[in-house]
Amino acid sequence: MNKTLIKQHLAVGAFAFGISIPALAQAQSLGERHDLVIGVERVFGMYTTHIEAELPNGQNSVQRGTGVGLGYQRPVTALTVPRVAVDYFISPSLSLGGSLGFDAIDPDTGDPNDSGAFLFSPRVGYAIPFNPDWGVWFHGGLTYLGEDFGNNVNTSLLALTADATFYYMPAPSVGFTGGPILDLGITGSRKAGNFDGDYNERLFGLGFGMFARL
């Protein structure tokens, strides 16, 4: 093999290697260290809920429901409202983050309100990619929910929250999510006038959303 042919082969190899570097970078799976993920969760979902509140007469009011949540059209509970989530991978597959949600629509009247429902959910996560496009991302943490719609009734709840989020990434920086979610109330209270009673909520369902990886 002459020197000219060797140089041609080396040039072709170098060109192919140069093309493959960005392709390999793009093929990285979700969960690389320092990945920052910003998403919107529970934009759409199907939920089963159980709400229990203590009444002034000492009895409990129980409300159960099954429904579909789309945007802020929530079935029964503010736990289903969309929320913005931010997660950061501190090491491969292991993430720390949380989500925030707010709902100013009064569930009784359907009208906007000056106050409303607020929730905050810190969490830890672990991502298991099946390949660069598909995988599952587990989350576990706590959710605080507070509601005040100006009707002299205030509600607060602390719940355990867990989900198994399956994701699909059609592009290296964009993904769609869906999977089972669980909110299990630990403690809560409902104040109506001078009465302060126990309050609890449980939710199980399927939630869907999307995210961007930075």
Side-chain angles (χ1 to χ4, degrees):
M1 185 179 293
N2 59 43
K3 292 183 178 180
T4 301
L5 191 57
I6 292 174
K7 289 180 180 179
Q8 289 176 348
H9 286 175
L10 289 174
V12 171
F15 178 73
F17 181 73
I19 292 177
S20 68
I21 290 177
L24 288 172
Q26 290 182 352
Q28 288 183 339
S29 300
L30 179 70
E32 297 293 323
R33 189 181 179 195
H34 302 313
D35 274 355
L36 177 64
V37 180
I38 301 175
V40 184
E41 301 175 343
R42 306 194 189 189
V43 177
F44 170 74
M46 295 166 283
Y47 309 101
T48 296
T49 58
H50 178 102
I51 300 175
E52 191 169 341
E54 184 181 1
L55 301 176
N57 61 10
Q59 308 231 341
N60 285 342
S61 168
V62 177
Q63 184 179 9
R64 296 182 180 90
T66 301
V68 175
L70 178 60
Y72 283 96
Q73 300 300 314
R74 59 183 171 101
V76 185
T77 172
L79 289 173
T80 65
V81 301
R83 56 191 72 182
V84 176
V86 179
D87 296 276
Y88 180 75
F89 283 87
I90 59 174
S91 65
S93 293
L94 181 62
S95 65
L96 293 177
S99 61
L100 287 170
F102 182 75
D103 183 9
I105 305 298
D106 191 317
D108 295 324
T109 65
D111 298 325
N113 197 289
D114 292 336
S115 52
F118 168 81
L119 61 87
F120 171 60
S121 182
R123 66 192 185 183
V124 62
Y126 193 84
I128 303 176
F130 305 142
N131 58 47
D133 300 329
W134 295 88
V136 61
W137 189 3
F138 298 97
H139 298 102
L142 297 172
T143 293
Y144 170 78
L145 169 65
E147 288 186 285
D148 179 6
F149 287 100
N151 54 2
N152 204 29
V153 177
N154 300 314
T155 302
S156 63
L157 177 73
L158 183 65
L160 288 172
T161 297
D163 66 65
T165 300
F166 293 87
Y167 64 84
Y168 168 63
M169 300 182 69
S173 59
V174 177
F176 297 92
T177 61
I181 56 177
L182 172 68
D183 293 306
L184 184 62
I186 304 171
T187 183
S189 66
R190 184 175 184 269
K191 297 180 180 179
N194 297 323
F195 176 75
D196 187 354
D198 293 334
Y199 182 82
N200 201 288
E201 292 190 23
R202 297 195 300 269
L203 176 147
F204 177 75
L206 295 173
F208 300 87
M210 63 183 301
F211 66 83
R213 176 173 64 176
L214 305 179

